């Protein structure tokens, strides 16, 4: 785990680049100036330059959003005007028992319909709020697929609230590869004292959610468990620092913020492409994270 914290500069190994080569658009590959065996070495050099501390510091630093944009309805099937409101209340809403999953047609490659609505809703809001980012809904879907399989396969009600809360492992150091993250919210968001854990279908740490949390369904609340709020918040987080998702290098940098792993980037990009084309990714495109 250890997601959503400022990552160290990644060491990009040859094997990682080979795994990504089939996923990197031609625009990034051309920076190597090679089309033969020198491609991998050149791509490695180019990516390491892109992810160097100097390159990162050259980007404007993200700012706390002072006026998130609210959508007028929980589920938006068509583009509608959104109206800026005051900062949302950051909290997890207590919900009644007996709720049932939303009965909506499945999206591409069997994606739950409620999740597809949430990702597309976030794309529409971000297109108005931050058009320079050019955030595609399919990238948010790739993140959601890797993080929680779209809230455990779409087990969320018609308002986008998971039937059961989504939590990651406790970050107390007991699992290999996970950072130790001591409690930052008194258990208010993750229901746990002593240590933190990732929360919601897009798996944010509590302190990161408090910084970027957005209201995607217009109810005045930024709830990390809600699919609409989580999708919009993920988009804001990926776009922060004036990144442009049309640039493969900047998109890669954004995904690495989520999880500092080139295998993670490969998985997200593979699912992003799959949801955009309707063709499921092959096993070779999904390296183990």
């Amino acid at each position: 785990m250890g997601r959503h914290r400022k990552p160290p500069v990644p060491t990009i190994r040859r094997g990682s680049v080979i795994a990504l080569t089939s996923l990197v658009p031609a625009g990034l590959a051309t920076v190597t100036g090679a089309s033969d065996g020198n491609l991998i070495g050149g791509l490695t050099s180019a990516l390491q330059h892109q992810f160097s501390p100097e390159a990162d510091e050259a980007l404007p630093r993200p700012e706390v959003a002072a006026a998130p944009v609210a959508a007028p309805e929980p589920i938006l099937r068509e583009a509608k005007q959104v109206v800026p409101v005051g900062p949302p209340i950051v909290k997890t809403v207590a919900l009644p028992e007996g709720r049932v999953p939303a009965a909506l047609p499945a999206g591409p490659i069997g994606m739950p319909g409620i999740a597809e609505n949430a990702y597309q809703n976030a794309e529409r809001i971000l297109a108005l709020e931050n058009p320079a980012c050019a955030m595609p809904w399919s990238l948010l879907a790739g993140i959601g697929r890797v993080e929680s399989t779209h809230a455990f396969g779409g087990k969320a009600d018609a308002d986008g609230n998971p039937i059961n809360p989504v939590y990651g492992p406790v970050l107390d150091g007991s699992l290999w590869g996970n950072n130790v993250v001591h409690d930052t919210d008194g258990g208010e968001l993750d229901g746990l004292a002593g240590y933190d854990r990732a929360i919601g279908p897009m798996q944010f740490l509590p302190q990161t959610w408090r910084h970027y949390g957005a209201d995607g369904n217009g109810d005045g609340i930024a709830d990390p468990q809600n699919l609409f709020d989580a999708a919009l918040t993920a988009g804001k987080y990926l776009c922060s620092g004036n990144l442009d998702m049309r640039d493969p290098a900047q998109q890669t940098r954004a995904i690495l913020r989520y999880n500092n792993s080139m295998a993670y980037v490969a998985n997200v990009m593979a699912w992003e492409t799959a949801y955009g084309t309707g063709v499921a990714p092959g096993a070779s495109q999904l390296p183990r994270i």
Side-chain angles (χ1 to χ4, degrees):
M1 282 289 178
R3 299 187 177 102
H4 317 302
R5 297 172 65 82
K6 185 64 176 178
V9 178
T11 299
I12 303 175
R13 298 181 175 86
R14 180 181 178 87
S16 298
V17 175
I18 291 175
L20 279 173
T21 301
S22 63
L23 300 176
V24 177
L28 179 57
T30 55
V31 300
T32 66
S35 59
D36 53 15
N38 294 324
L39 173 61
I40 298 302
L43 183 56
T44 300
S45 176
L47 286 173
Q48 286 179 328
H49 171 72
Q50 290 290 340
F51 305 139
S52 66
E54 293 79 7
D56 195 50
E57 290 302 321
L59 290 170
R61 311 321 302 170
E63 299 178 356
V64 178
V69 178
E73 297 178 4
I75 301 175
L76 301 180
R77 294 187 178 274
E78 300 178 356
K80 298 183 180 181
Q81 184 178 3
V82 292
V83 181
V85 298
I89 299 171
V90 175
K91 69 176 183 178
T92 296
V93 178
L95 297 170
E97 299 290 336
R99 292 174 298 114
V100 297
L104 294 173
I109 323 178
M111 179 193 301
I114 188 66
E116 181 185 23
N117 281 354
Y119 303 137
Q120 292 182 351
N121 181 59
E123 179 191 75
R124 285 191 288 267
I125 294 176
L126 289 166
L128 294 173
E129 183 184 35
N130 187 0
C133 179
M135 172 59 68
W137 72 267
S138 55
L139 173 54
L140 299 174
I143 296 282
R145 174 60 174 77
V146 175
E147 292 294 342
S148 71
T149 319
H150 313 301
F152 302 141
K155 294 180 179 178
D157 64 23
D159 293 323
N161 299 306
I163 302 303
N164 296 304
V166 181
Y167 295 116
V170 178
L171 298 176
D172 59 1
S174 60
L175 292 179
W176 183 88
N178 283 356
N179 290 343
V180 175
V181 181
H182 292 282
D183 180 60
T184 60
D185 69 332
E188 183 178 351
L189 294 176
D190 63 4
L192 185 70
Y195 296 92
D196 274 345
R197 56 181 171 177
I199 45 178
M202 300 301 266
Q203 290 289 278
F204 277 89
L205 290 179
Q207 62 182 350
T208 309
W209 184 267
R210 288 193 178 281
H211 187 82
Y212 291 96
D215 174 15
N217 59 3
D219 65 357
I221 297 171
D223 183 347
Q225 295 291 343
N226 181 271
L227 270 167
F228 289 87
D229 294 353
L232 180 57
T233 300
K236 291 168 68 69
Y237 180 70
L238 293 167
C239 289
S240 63
N242 297 328
L243 294 186
D244 184 348
M245 296 302 106
R246 291 165 294 197
D247 179 351
Q250 292 187 53
Q251 184 179 124
T252 299
R253 182 191 300 280
I255 299 171
L256 281 170
R257 288 174 176 171
Y258 229 97
N259 188 320
N260 186 32
S261 162
M262 294 303 289
Y264 180 86
V265 173
N267 274 262
V268 169
M269 285 186 169
W271 283 110
E272 174 191 6
T273 300
Y275 289 130
T277 62
V279 179
S284 63
Q285 295 176 282
L286 301 171
R288 183 176 179 180
I289 300 175

